[in-house]
Amino acid sequence: MNLAPSLLSADFGDLRAEAREVEPLAAYFHIDVMDGHFVDNLTIGPPVVNSLRKGLSRPFDIHLMIDHPLAYASRFEIHPGDIITFHIESADDLDHTIEAIHRTGAEVGISLRPKTPIETVLPYLDRVDLILVMSVEPGFGGQAFMPEALERIRFLRREIGERVITIEVDGGIGVKNIRDVVDAGADLIVAGSAIFNHHDRAAAMSDLLAAAGQSVRLRS
Ligand code: DX5
Ligand code: ZN
């Protein structure tokens, strides 16, 4: 399993420095894009995300919590290995949105709010690279993990079978529950407050990896 630190809990006035601090143990930077409609919060969009890239080497895991992913996906500058994830509950046509994201060169992820029936994603399994299971209502960092997510992860893992699809989980994950999430079948773990609320981010990430049963190794 891999960690994707969520920059939502970082200092937005110093994003690049914050990102560099977590980079050695991160597989991706998880970047939460919110429009104030789809969720009750506003964050950053393409101009900030695109200018953040300089000096960073990890791919971006862009989590779109917006009504119109089709209109905005192509405005992100994509580098090899980047992921763009949009929500199945967004207003746009899902097939067109999947195609539009693929055209950017990014891998495609679909996410579901905690109350959206998990079966709704099954028709798309052959066309996406990643499924993002939300374990909190999207919008804010620092919320409590919803344990119902574990059964949803197990269900997806069974349905995915031999397909190469990453299961990512986002919301409320910390040292107390990361092992349960990984054991349920998750590959990519988002953590915001569990990393950035600590002064020593590297130690917080090492603790998360150790709690997940992983050996800690710095990435080159
Ligand atoms: C919430 C965002 C998450 C958020 C997670 O809507 O999608 O990525 O940063 O924060 P924590 O890990 O604090 O729950
Ligand atoms: Zn997120």
Side-chain angles (χ1 to χ4, degrees), residues 45-124:
V48 176
V49 176
N50 293 340
S51 14
L52 182 61
R53 187 80 66 161
K54 203 167 51 164
L56 299 178
S57 56
R58 295 288 170 263
F60 283 11
D61 169 29
I62 301 170
H63 179 191
L64 300 179
M65 285 160 276
I66 63 178
D67 276 331
H68 292 294
L70 186 52
Y72 293 97
S74 63
R75 302 197 197 180
F76 293 94
E77 287 165 17
I78 294 304
H79 290 217
D82 288 352
I83 305 162
I84 298 181
T85 295
F86 70 103
H87 270 261
I88 201 160
E89 309 87 357
S90 63
D92 292 339
D93 179 87
L94 293 184
D95 296 306
H96 289 153
T97 307
I98 290 171
E99 283 162 26
I101 295 175
H102 267 144
R103 275 200 301 275
T104 69
E107 298 194 356
V108 180
I110 296 195
S111 184
L112 300 93
R113 289 177 181 276
K115 294 197 176 63
T116 301
I118 193 77
E119 297 77 14
T120 54
V121 80
L122 297 183
Y124 302 95

Side-chain angles (χ1 to χ4, degrees), residues 6 8-9 30 32 34 63 65 134 136-143 170-173 190-194:
S6 168
L8 183 65
S9 290
H30 184 85
D32 292 297
M34 307 186 191
H63 179 191
M65 285 160 276
M134 291 305 300
V136 297
E137 269 306 325
F140 297 91
Q143 304 181 73
D170 184 6
I173 299 174
V190 179
S193 51

